[in-house]
Each structure stands twice: as C-alpha cells, then as structure tokens.
Amino acid sequence: MSDLHNLSVKALARLLQTKEVSAVEVATRFLARMGGNPHNAFLDIDSEVTLAQARASDAKLADGTAGPLEGVPVAHKDVFVTREFATTAGSKILSGYRSPFDATVVQRLRTAGMVTLGKLNCDEFAMGSANENSAYGPVQNPWDTARVPGGSSGGSAAAVAAGLAPAATGTDTGGSIRQPASFCGITGIKPTYGRASRYGMIAYASSLDQAGPMARSAEDCALLLSAMCGADLDRDSTSLDMPTEDFAASLNNSLEGLRIGIPKEFFGEGLHADVRAAVDGALREYEKLGAKLVPISLPRTELSIPVYYIIAPAEASSNLSRFDGVKFGHRAKDYTDLVDMYKKTRAEGFGNEVKRRIMTGAYVLSHGYYDAYYLQAQKIRRMIADDFQNAFKECDVIAGPVAPSVAWKFGENANDPVADYLADIFTLPASLAGLPGMSVPAGFGAGNMPVGLQLIGNYFKEAQLLNAAHRLQQATDFHLRKPEGI
C-alpha cells in the first residue's frame, strides 16, 4: 500500500490485526519516508532496531498474542530515555547517552505492541516555544519550512504532520504538546498531572512535566493515552493511584447540553484576528452540535506567565544540577580541579536558554529572594487553580485559543526571549493547575497556517475532552488536511 503513511493509528491497527499488511511492511514504509531526516525532525534513527521490533510484532500477530496497537509505529520525544536509541534531550551535554532502561511511557507503548521509529528533536531539556533551542538544529514546520513548528515537542508535531510517523509522544510543561500541535495542525493532549508516569522522562520542572500523545485525530490520541496512562507508584512518586481507562469508549457521546466555558481573558488584546476568527468558527460548530457557550472568567490568566517563569526555572536549576560531567554525558577535556570541571562542562554542554533558566531559578531560590519570588509564585499558583474550580461550577469544558498567533518565522524572536514566553499565555494556566488540556485543529490563519482550539477539562476528565474533540472532528475536516506534498 502506497498510502500507509496517510492512515490513522486506528486504521493501521485494523489492517495489522486482519493481516492485510505486516508490521515490517508498515515500518519499512515509514523508514523510507524518514530517509534524509525531513524537517530535521529526528535525532536518532536505527532501522535495524525498528525492523527487529516489527518482526517481533508480526510473530505476535501470527500467534494470537498481539497487543491492541501491535505493529503500529510511534516515535518518541528525545526526553524519554530508551535502551535501544540514544537520548540527548536535545542537548550537547547528553550527546551519545544511552540509557540502561526504558521510560515507563515507552515501555507501556511497547507492551501495547507499538514499534519505535526513533527519537524526535526537541528544544534543549524541553525549554522553548519554537524548537529553536535544540543543540542539533531547529525543526522545520511542514506547512511552511521557513516557520517554527512550536516547542518544545516540535519534532513530534512535525513528524506527525509530515507523515513521518502516525503518532508520537510529547511532554507538556507549560504548553509543549498543545502549542506545537496547534502550529502543525495535529491533535495533542496533556492529561491530568500524574496520569502518565514521569519515570524515565528527563525532568525539566518536576511539578509541571507531563507526558501525552500527539496524532492526527482525537481518536488516535485516545488509543495512545489508554496505553500510556496508569499507576507507577513504585517508580514515580508523582504518579496517581488510578486504574487504566479506555479513553476511546465515550468518543461518540452526544454533546447536547455540554456547557463550554469561554474565558474573556483568552479573547482580549494580543489575540491575532486570524486566530480569533478560526476559534470562533470552531465554537459555532459546537453550538450546532448542541453545546452551549457560557461566558466565564479566569482572572489571573496574565499572572500565569511570571508565576510559571519563576517556578519552572527554580525546579530546572535543581533538576539540571545532576548534569555535571561526573557520572554521564559530556565532560570538559581540560580542567584544573573538580570545580573547574563542573564550570567548563556545564558552560560547554548547555545552550543559552538552558543557562538563562538555570540562572533565573538559582536567583529566585537564593537567600533573601525565596520569600519574595518563589513563595509568592506558589501562592498565586494555588489561586490560579482555584479560579479554574470556580469556573467549572458554571461549565463542563473550557475552550479558547492555544496561542495568540500562528507559527512565526525563524529568527523573529531571536533577540527577545520574552516574546517566546508570552506565546504561552493561554496554555500556562492549565499547566500550573495540573489540569488536562488539548489542542484540536480548528482551521487556518495568516499564511494558510494551522490554528488550534484549546480544550481544558477538570481533573480526570480526559475522556470528556476527547469526546468533545472527536465530535468536532467528525463535523470538520481540518485534522485531515495535510501540508503540501505529504
């Protein structure tokens, strides 16, 4: 089949289960498309490993021991450690590192039968909104190669949009699944904090990082999320003690009477007119499906930026202290003593954005500033979470834009890192509150670039979000459109 790369996860799983195609055939097709590494989406590819996994899947399909996603390919963001592929987190300081174990998310998707295509490019240590911070070069947006794909899961979004993988894993700390999904015209979901294990996921900000799937449709994301989630209490202290859930079971539920909250703070100054038009069009579709739009307020939306950029760097400065050249990763060649080795190793290994956030984090945690900055940020974080709970008394789901604009061109914000930070204003609040959120293709804006609709649910309401997204995708075709030449 010449169009295997255009098929959904669900369609590929069905063809594999009925033996109309083999796992090796599917893997070979995607490996051929990955040749030359289009859009600089991948950081590590090993066709021998991929084909060996595919052959193992074919054996399970033949003997009746296949998992629900047996033989379906997936690619992993390079912050998930893997035994059979190198893991760098997009940083020179981990160049060539190979983990002795798989991350829980990687392991669970393998248990479900998925075949690993390789590791995906990302902003260094998941710090960025454009994928311009990778030590291995930026990822190109398949819709316009002069534009960014979003970050930090830009490689994941670009690979799915370009048909290099039917699905990918991503991580979302402040919007790093939702924003690149929006910029690349695909679907991505961040579950409730703690739903997916963080074991084996290289930490950026431990109280915010969460794994999630990225694919073309809500239905495909539901299938992956069902396989990814589940308690991992022995290995991850932030893992929730909750049973696995079939997130696809309620995809076709009616939306009649669903209350969709529209926060006024998401539609004010700064939102570009083209994005506003696309989001408004998606909201009108929901009204046709029987949902009711309810005006709400999230009054501390603007405060989410300073709060996030205090808390996340503070946690990063602690988490990244382990990368010192002693046990693993890069080590400076010439140094006079241990302290000099630390300094030179970290100076050589970390990029500018990582250094900026480490220094910011160390500052806000230092004596005399902890109470003034970090402690105050944590108090406002609690208030932001309370704002959501007050809003959910009036609505079931919250909807709005993912980002204020469509994907910008490379270099536009090169001398203004704060401009990248401001692009996260609509995704940060849900991250700070630990709520599930997702991006759903909602049309196109300036330059015929994709626009994403953000859906935010209350804790553990992933199934409701996926249902709302799926019904919108049944009514529209934005998720089916592909970049030119794909």
Side-chain angles (χ1 to χ4, degrees):
M1 286 187 178
S2 61
D3 65 341
L4 284 174
H5 64 281
N6 284 324
L7 298 181
S8 66
V9 169
K10 182 180 180 180
L12 285 170
R14 182 187 61 79
L15 289 175
L16 286 159
Q17 295 284 350
T18 57
K19 300 181 180 59
E20 294 176 62
V21 296
S22 69
V24 168
E25 183 181 353
V26 174
T28 300
R29 175 61 179 162
F30 280 99
L31 288 170
R33 289 189 59 78
M34 292 156 53
N37 195 14
H39 310 294
N40 197 32
F42 282 84
L43 292 182
D44 193 24
I45 299 169
D46 189 327
S47 59
E48 291 185 7
V49 170
T50 298
L51 291 174
Q53 290 186 8
R55 287 191 290 270
S57 286
D58 280 332
K60 290 182 178 180
L61 287 161
D63 67 17
T65 60
L69 298 174
E70 198 69 59
V72 178
V74 66
H76 294 294
K77 183 176 179 178
D78 200 34
V79 297
F80 293 99
V81 300
T82 45
R83 288 185 298 106
E84 296 181 297
F85 295 88
T87 303
T88 69
S91 179
K92 288 183 180 178
I93 207 162
L94 278 175
S95 178
Y97 173 71
R98 195 172 291 265
S99 170
F101 64 95
D102 286 329
T104 296
V105 163
V106 173
Q107 179 187 10
R108 284 187 168 154
L109 290 175
R110 279 292 297 134
T111 300
M114 300 198 84
V115 171
T116 305
L117 291 172
K119 303 297 286 297
L120 293 160
N121 203 347
C122 59
D123 282 302
E124 186 178 7
F125 288 102
M127 298 181 189
S129 301
N131 224 135
E132 292 181 288
N133 295 332
S134 171
Y136 304 98
V139 176
Q140 298 172 329
N141 191 316
W143 291 88
D144 180 349
T145 56
R147 296 179 186 258
V148 303
S152 61
S153 306
S156 301
V160 173
L164 307 179
T169 54
T171 62
D172 193 308
T173 306
S176 291
I177 286 174
R178 289 162 286 163
Q179 189 242 35
S182 173
F183 282 7
C184 291
I186 66 167
T187 306
I189 182 168
K190 176 194 86 74
T192 302
Y193 179 80
R195 273 279 210 178
S197 174
R198 292 176 48 252
Y199 181 75
M201 188 170 80
I202 297 174
Y204 160 25
S206 300
S207 72
L208 293 159
D209 299 340
Q210 188 59 195
M214 304 173 76
R216 287 210 180 103
S217 70
E219 186 172 37
D220 284 353
C221 283
L223 294 173
L224 267 75
L225 193 63
S226 298
M228 289 171 61
C229 290
D232 193 20
L233 305 179
D234 292 338
R235 299 187 294 184
D236 176 11
S237 63
T238 63
S239 177
L240 296 172
D241 189 8
M242 296 188 68
T244 56
E245 184 175 343
D246 182 1
F247 294 109
S250 56
L251 286 177
N252 292 307
N253 286 0
S254 172
L255 300 187
E256 193 69 39
L258 181 74
R259 300 172 301 165
I260 299 179
I262 310 299
K264 62 182 181 181
E265 293 80 6
F266 283 23
F267 292 87
E269 185 180 353
L271 179 62
H272 291 209
D274 57 329
V275 174
R276 171 81 188 247
V279 169
D280 285 345
L283 294 176
R284 287 193 294 272
E285 290 292 339
Y286 274 121
E287 288 185 302
K288 294 177 185 177
L289 291 168
K292 180 182 179 183
L293 305 186
V294 180
I296 62 168
S297 178
L298 296 172
R300 295 176 179 86
T301 294
E302 287 190 1
L303 291 177
S304 65
I305 293 177
V307 168
Y308 176 86
Y309 284 102
I310 289 172
I311 293 174
E315 296 184 8
S317 69
S318 175
N319 281 325
L320 270 62
S321 64
R322 73 193 67 181
F323 301 106
D324 55 13
V326 175
K327 292 184 178 179
F328 49 80
H330 171 74
R331 178 185 292 181
K333 291 183 178 179
D334 300 313
Y335 50 87
T336 57
D337 56 28
L338 184 63
V339 172
D340 190 46
M341 188 266 284
Y342 287 159
K343 289 179 179 179
K344 289 182 177 177
T345 294
R346 291 166 69 82
E348 294 170 4
F350 289 139
N352 288 337
E353 184 59 31
V354 173
K355 291 175 184 175
R356 183 181 294 117
R357 298 195 192 194
I358 289 173
M359 289 188 291
T360 300
Y363 176 79
V364 301
L365 291 176
S366 62
H367 180 70
Y369 297 101
Y370 179 91
D371 288 350
Y373 295 106
Y374 184 74
L375 191 59
Q376 291 301 315
Q378 291 288 15
K379 290 178 180 178
I380 298 172
R381 180 183 188 176
R382 179 70 264 171
M383 294 177 184
I384 291 171
D386 290 341
D387 288 342
F388 276 106
Q389 292 311 303
N390 289 331
F392 282 124
K393 294 175 183 176
E394 304 175 39
C395 64
D396 305 304
V397 171
I398 294 171
V402 174
S405 70
V406 297
W408 54 86
K409 292 188 177 180
F410 285 111
E412 280 189 16
N413 299 335
N415 298 317
D416 185 9
V418 176
D420 279 2
Y421 300 170
L422 293 173
D424 298 333
I425 187 169
F426 302 135
T427 55
L428 292 178
S431 291
L432 289 165
L435 293 166
M438 66 183 300
S439 177
V440 188
F444 298 86
N448 198 35
M449 294 301 293
V451 173
L453 173 73
Q454 181 174 203
L455 298 174
I456 302 169
N458 210 344
Y459 300 113
F460 317 122
K461 295 293 185 180
E462 291 84 1
Q464 187 176 54
L465 286 185
L466 289 160
N467 167 223
H470 179 64
R471 293 306 301 269
L472 178 66
Q473 291 180 336
Q474 287 179 317
T476 62
D477 69 347
F478 300 128
H479 66 294
L480 298 176
R481 299 184 194 179
K482 301 175 183 66
E484 188 175 346
I486 303 304

